[in-house]
Amino acid sequence: MFRAFHRVVSPSLRQAQLLSARTEPRMSWGYMLPLRSAASATFRLLEDSLEVSHGGTPMRFNYVWLRDHCRSASSYNSSTHQRSLDTGSIELTVRPESSAVEDDQLVLTWPDGCVSKYSLSWLAKNSYEGRKKATEQPRVLWNADIYQNASISSIKWDTFMSCDNELKKFLQNYLLYGIAFVDDVPTTVEATEEVTQRVSLIRETTYGRMWSFTSDFSRDDTAYSQLALDRHTDTTYFQEPCGIQVFHCLRHEGTGGRTLLVDGFYAAEKLRQRSPEKFELLCRVPIRHEYIENTDNHRNHMMGVGPVLNIYSWNNELYMIRYNNYDRSVINTIPHDTVQRWYIAHRELTTELRRPENELWMKLSPGKVIFIDNWRVLHGRESFTGLRQLCGCYLTRDDVLSAARCFGLQA
């Protein structure tokens, strides 16, 4: 239920209060109209916005924003979840003609006759002040001990392919830790493709749709060798790096070849705690990455530009790390007086990424398929001998997150 919001008011405002206990006529803007308020919230109509105080946090809602987000039938198609209102037609000086509180909802009537209703929960959820404090995607940041002590149960191929609860559990693991596994997958490219499509759409790239490779140097890439690979994220030379990396070791007749995994967000947050100014620099400076290939069968020149660390502007939450020392191109996007500071910041992040306690090593045996969040978890490998055949692909990030949200997971 709503209760009255009391304050000292002018005689003219007192007279307006007495006109109606439910509806407030339009007043001279700059006054605070005493709308009835919920037990945990009060509303005030200001000159250019609505102010809601809820849980000790004042939230401001611009009037154009409120009109633009009207959910009435004439402004919003609830069947398609799309806006019907032409935002370009809203007067930029629009103000509500009247206001009321009905059934725990704020009701605003606009000059064009449209009536908008907003629940307190909807306003709190969609306020800037609320989003600034909220986490977009809950995560468990880890080093090797943290991950191993989590004792995450494995997902089996047969139940994964037939049971939605297993798929939901897999997606939850992926969202929290940035890696997830499916065991007992048949050791064929076809079965690997089938298990990946249970999760998302395959993103076709210059490497193809599904790829299967050995150390035959068939592409101009160090991955197609027996050499060790330091920790890195893939496709940093794309403007939007691939979201998910999938690996399946079909066979290995030799030694070595363990896979290295490092939680890039764990390392980056350590840097933020210890050297916030260095963290901020790596979030701000754009760096170019490049992939050049010129063989008889393949010609490519890919280029992507972006900072090493990427954060959401409204809450400073980290959402992507773009780290690949192999594919980083010439640094020519920053002035001279910033170059040295960038190298110092990059070195401190690299030191954190290379701490032995942050390295999770594992042997990818045939039948175990790994899904890696390429925007978060760095991967690498130790050198190996003998024949080692891997297959895999990239998946579209948007579709993985969509699948998770359809299960009610926060993503």
Side-chain angles (χ1 to χ4, degrees):
M1 294 295 294
F2 288 86
R3 71 174 189 273
F5 170 54
H6 298 290
R7 65 180 298 275
V8 177
V9 296
S10 66
S12 60
L13 187 53
R14 175 69 67 190
Q15 183 179 10
Q17 285 178 258
L18 297 176
L19 290 177
S20 172
R22 302 295 291 178
T23 304
E24 304 295 342
R26 182 170 182 173
M27 298 298 298
S28 173
W29 299 102
Y31 286 107
M32 294 185 293
L33 295 185
L35 297 178
R36 293 183 177 184
S37 55
S40 59
T42 57
F43 300 84
R44 297 193 302 169
L45 293 174
L46 304 178
E47 173 67 27
D48 61 349
S49 60
L50 169 76
E51 182 180 90
V52 181
S53 294
H54 176 57
T57 301
M59 299 172 286
R60 296 283 291 271
F61 299 93
N62 174 274
Y63 290 130
V64 179
W65 185 95
L66 286 166
R67 182 66 186 90
D68 185 43
H69 290 82
C70 174
R71 291 302 189 251
S72 68
S74 62
S75 299
Y76 186 78
N77 188 326
S78 58
S79 296
T80 64
H81 304 283
Q82 291 178 301
R83 180 180 286 101
S84 304
L85 173 67
D86 175 19
T87 304
S89 69
I90 301 174
E91 290 290 340
L92 296 180
T93 56
V94 70
R95 303 286 188 275
E97 290 284 359
S98 64
S99 59
V101 173
E102 299 174 358
D103 300 325
D104 291 348
Q105 290 187 316
L106 173 69
V107 181
L108 299 180
T109 301
W110 302 98
D112 61 1
C114 181
V115 177
S116 303
K117 297 181 179 181
Y118 315 89
S119 68
L120 173 62
S121 60
W122 188 90
L123 290 172
K125 177 183 177 182
N126 291 288
S127 70
Y128 170 75
E129 293 80 3
R131 297 312 307 172
K132 186 167 63 172
K133 295 180 179 179
T135 298
E136 293 298 317
Q137 183 180 320
R139 296 180 173 92
V140 177
L141 305 187
W142 51 268
N143 59 15
D145 284 343
I146 292 172
Y147 185 83
Q148 290 166 344
N149 290 334
S151 300
I152 303 167
S153 58
S154 61
I155 309 292
K156 301 298 184 182
W157 151 267
D158 52 353
T159 55
F160 178 75
M161 297 302 294
S162 60
C163 178
D164 283 349
N165 284 337
E166 288 297 289
L167 175 58
K168 180 179 180 180
K169 184 167 70 172
F170 168 91
L171 290 169
Q172 183 69 84
N173 290 340
Y174 171 81
L175 292 173
L176 289 177
Y177 296 97
I179 53 176
F181 301 86
V182 179
D183 289 336
D184 301 334
V185 179
T187 54
T188 65
V189 175
E190 292 75 19
T192 309
E193 181 176 6
E194 188 177 356
V195 76
T196 60
Q197 290 180 307
R198 176 80 166 126
V199 178
S200 178
L201 300 178
I202 295 174
R203 177 175 174 178
E204 188 164 2
T205 68
T206 182
Y207 301 106
R209 176 179 166 82
M210 291 291 300
W211 36 258
S212 177
F213 71 92
T214 61
S215 53
D216 60 1
F217 279 105
S218 61
R219 302 296 296 266
D220 282 352
D221 194 299
T222 313
Y224 291 73
S225 73
Q226 294 180 326
L227 301 175
L229 292 176
D230 192 24
R231 64 226 70 201
H232 64 280
T233 59
D234 270 20
T235 60
T236 51
Y237 40 77
F238 288 178
Q239 277 303 112
E240 181 183 313
C242 292
I244 292 89
Q245 170 93 65
V246 180
F247 287 121
H248 186 190
C249 181
L250 300 180
R251 59 174 176 159
H252 182 198
E253 301 166 0
T255 62
R258 288 183 304 160
T259 294
L260 167 65
L261 300 168
V262 177
D263 187 351
F265 286 9
Y266 181 90
E269 291 298 343
K270 288 291 186 182
L271 175 64
R272 177 164 19 198
Q273 293 170 12
R274 191 169 52 247
S275 305
E277 71 288 346
K278 295 184 178 70
F279 178 93
E280 188 275 334
L281 185 66
L282 294 178
C283 291
R284 178 169 50 85
V285 173
I287 297 295
R288 193 184 314 276
H289 291 77
E290 201 167 20
Y291 175 63
I292 301 174
E293 182 180 32
N294 190 5
T295 67
D296 292 339
N297 298 320
H298 303 281
R299 296 187 66 189
N300 288 290
H301 190 166
M302 304 286 187
M303 190 178 298
V305 181
V308 174
L309 303 177
N310 294 260
I311 58 174
Y312 294 124
S313 60
W314 58 91
N315 67 355
N316 292 323
E317 180 180 336
L318 188 64
Y319 70 86
M320 182 170 72
I321 180 170
R322 187 192 296 249
Y323 185 100
N324 190 314
N325 204 55
Y326 299 102
D327 296 327
R328 181 164 45 79
S329 186
V330 177
I331 299 178
N332 54 16
T333 53
I334 50 179
H336 167 74
D337 59 358
T338 306
V339 171
Q340 183 70 15
R341 291 192 295 118
W342 184 89
Y343 274 112
I344 292 172
H346 186 269
R347 178 65 56 85
E348 192 163 336
L349 175 63
T350 298
T351 299
E352 193 64 45
L353 289 168
R354 290 179 176 175
R355 292 189 188 279
E357 61 268 27
N358 294 339
E359 299 178 341
L360 180 65
W361 289 93
M362 62 179 58
K363 183 76 171 180
L364 289 184
S365 55
K368 180 183 285 291
V369 177
I370 181 173
F371 294 73
I372 304 172
D373 183 346
N374 188 54
W375 284 21
R376 171 184 171 181
V377 175
L378 287 68
H379 65 278
R381 71 163 186 238
E382 65 180 355
S383 61
F384 63 91
T385 64
L387 176 65
R388 184 174 184 259
Q389 182 181 5
L390 264 71
C391 75
C393 62
Y394 297 114
L395 301 181
T396 59
R397 178 180 178 82
D398 289 336
D399 292 283
V400 172
L401 299 183
S402 173
R405 295 184 194 112
C406 288
F407 278 114
L409 301 174
Q410 186 177 344

